Amino acid sequence: MGYSEDSSMVRVDFFKPGGKWYTTEAVKWSGEWEGKKGLIHDEFAKSLRDHFADRPDRLSDMDAVCLHPYHEHTHPIQIKAGGWRK
């Protein structure tokens, strides 16, 4: 399930450290979608790094949540406070 007509686009919600919703963005899932090639957490982090490549500090203090990742073993996923930058 995609967030737009492009099935590789996913909806990512960003939350402030206290848990309050801040914004939603469409992010291209640039990581692998097959579980054999990469863990879903790693592929989500790669997609966020690629999305923020031009401004790596943007939303880096926020938690990122994707309810429907573009991955073979899809399940809701969260990365805490800019953990994708590592």
Side-chain angles (χ1 to χ4, degrees):
M1 179 179 134
Y3 182 57
S4 69
E5 289 184 16
D6 180 351
S7 63
S8 66
M9 295 296 282
V10 295
R11 174 186 169 146
V12 179
D13 292 294
F14 292 89
F15 295 86
K16 294 180 180 183
K20 184 175 181 180
W21 175 85
Y22 181 74
T23 191
T24 300
E25 295 203 11
V27 174
K28 180 158 185 75
W29 189 272
S30 57
E32 295 290 332
W33 78 273
E34 291 182 281
K36 298 173 199 142
K37 296 183 180 178
L39 297 174
I40 190 171
H41 295 82
D42 297 337
E43 302 310 319
F44 183 40
K46 179 192 182 315
S47 299
L48 290 172
R49 280 193 304 275
D50 292 347
H51 181 72
F52 292 115
D54 60 335
R55 294 180 58 200
D57 290 332
R58 187 169 162 263
L59 302 177
S60 65
D61 60 337
M62 306 275 178
D63 295 347
V65 176
C66 182
L67 296 179
H68 300 285
Y70 184 65
H71 195 269
E72 178 181 38
H73 304 294
T74 190
H75 59 80
I77 187 169
Q78 175 181 8
I79 297 182
K80 300 291 277 181
W84 62 84
R85 295 177 57 197
K86 299 174 184 173

